[in-house]
Amino acid sequence: MVVFGLTVVRHGETRYNKEKILQGQGVNEPLSETGFSQASAAGIYLSNTRFTHVFSSDLLRAKQTTDSILVKSQFCKDISVNYDSRLRERKYGVAEGKPLSSLRAMAKSAGEQCPSYTPPGGETLDEVNARCKDFFEYLCQLISQEICLETQSSSTEGTDTEIEEGRSATSLRSNDDRMEFHSECNRGDKGLDANILVVSHGAYMRNWIGYFISDLECTLPDTVTKTELSSVSPNTGISQFIIKFEMRKKLRPQIHCICLNRGDHLMGLTCEKV
């Protein structure tokens, strides 16, 4: 059984977030002063978490958020960051750079509602979901491959000594050697094969979490409401999950949500939810 932790963080606030202007993929705004403060607060909150992998959208606001989080880390300051275009915000086509109210007016004229409406040149929700699914399956495959390589390496290096001591040469590693999911959200869970940080965007994250719930039957904390499920995360909102799956069986992964769009690290800071 492979077990890994997944922490997903929305980028910090930009000037366009505050002004409720759509950015999508075509508007590459940097973080505002508030956005840097939010990212720093998220970094402090996650500072004791030992991440093994870090992924970020390749858009500037996500990159800056990732850097601000890692600089606060006790363990991951020098970890390499994988920038992945699959983590980009939903593309809004002709609506990018325009107020959110304009998108709503376009949807109304077309007889549709946000967020299901797709403006000309934009991505459909199905296209965003396909990106989410592709990236998640990639993560599962990546961790599986790394564990297989580690198992093979351990088998080769430890054959002589382990046989002499009467131990199995094929064991991956002891539970004491596995990573721990350090977090106030999940104080007691241990024994992770990997711990992954992903920094992305509001609409993308909402679709990804929707994919977890609808397609993969992710279990949720009892306190999560329907409104929270349909809402966009606040800037630097934190969601955390435990993922379990069998490497050699084509079974649906087991996903448990530890916390969803958590924002208590932002107390005292101004943050926008758009």
Side-chain angles (χ1 to χ4, degrees):
M1 175 73 75
V2 178
V3 185
F4 69 90
L6 176 64
T7 298
V8 186
V9 182
R10 186 189 175 194
H11 65 80
E13 179 198 82
T14 68
R15 174 174 60 95
Y16 275 25
N17 284 141
K18 187 172 184 178
E19 296 175 358
K20 295 181 172 54
I21 295 174
L22 286 168
Q23 295 169 100
Q25 298 182 15
V27 177
N28 207 14
E29 277 280 298
L31 297 183
S32 64
E33 182 178 348
T34 297
F36 278 111
S37 296
Q38 292 168 341
S40 179
I44 292 170
Y45 180 80
L46 296 169
S47 61
N48 290 322
T49 306
R50 192 187 298 270
F51 293 112
T52 57
H53 305 72
V54 178
F55 293 87
S56 170
S57 158
D58 58 355
L59 296 176
L60 180 60
R61 54 196 184 273
K63 286 183 173 182
Q64 291 179 329
T65 301
T66 304
D67 291 343
S68 297
I69 290 173
L70 293 179
V71 78
K72 297 293 184 181
S73 175
Q74 294 189 30
F75 305 106
C76 310
K77 282 185 172 67
D78 299 321
I79 195 170
S80 61
V81 180
N82 301 282
Y83 298 107
D84 198 310
S85 61
R86 287 173 294 187
L87 294 170
R88 287 183 179 185
E89 180 58 294
R90 181 184 180 186
K91 185 177 180 181
Y92 285 99
V94 299
E96 292 180 351
K98 296 181 180 179
L100 178 59
S101 57
S102 294
L103 177 65
R104 289 173 175 157
M106 291 181 197
K108 185 176 180 180
S109 297
E112 299 182 38
Q113 292 184 335
C114 295
S116 58
Y117 170 70
T118 303
E123 276 185 298
T124 66
L125 290 181
D126 285 344
E127 289 171 331
V128 179
N129 288 339
R131 280 201 283 130
C132 297
K133 179 181 179 182
D134 185 55
F135 180 75
F136 180 66
E137 290 178 348
Y138 162 75
L139 285 185
C140 293
Q141 184 178 31
L142 174 68
I143 302 306
S144 294
Q145 290 174 343
E146 290 183 351
I147 289 174
C148 286
L149 288 173
E150 184 176 347
T151 302
Q152 292 170 3
S153 176
S154 298
S155 297
T156 302
E157 294 174 2
T159 296
D160 294 336
T161 57
E162 289 188 352
I163 289 177
E164 287 174 4
E165 297 174 9
R167 296 195 304 269
S168 169
T170 59
S171 61
L172 173 61
R173 49 186 162 175
S174 70
N175 286 337
D176 292 339
D177 291 332
R178 293 176 127 194
M179 304 303 298
E180 296 184 6
F181 200 30
H182 292 288
S183 162
E184 292 180 15
C185 293
N186 185 35
R187 295 172 183 156
D189 199 282
K190 299 181 180 181
L192 300 180
D193 294 299
N195 208 353
I196 300 173
L197 171 65
V198 173
V199 179
S200 188
H201 304 264
Y204 180 90
M205 287 171 57
R206 180 170 58 187
N207 278 269
W208 193 5
I209 293 168
Y211 162 66
F212 276 0
I213 295 169
S214 299
D215 292 25
L216 301 181
E217 298 184 1
C218 170
T219 58
L220 298 165
D222 293 336
T223 55
V224 173
T225 66
K226 289 183 178 180
T227 300
E228 289 177 295
L229 288 176
S230 61
S231 298
V232 172
S233 168
N235 290 112
T236 68
I238 297 170
S239 297
Q240 294 184 305
F241 306 86
I242 298 293
I243 319 293
K244 300 180 181 180
F245 65 93
E246 295 284 353
M247 279 197 297
R248 294 175 179 82
K249 297 180 181 178
K250 292 185 178 180
L251 300 175
R252 183 173 56 206
Q254 300 173 34
I255 305 177
H256 177 61
C257 177
I258 304 301
C259 61
L260 185 68
N261 298 337
R262 186 164 185 162
D264 47 333
H265 59 285
L266 299 173
M267 289 181 129
L269 295 176
T270 301
C271 68
E272 296 293 329
K273 298 188 79 173
V274 176

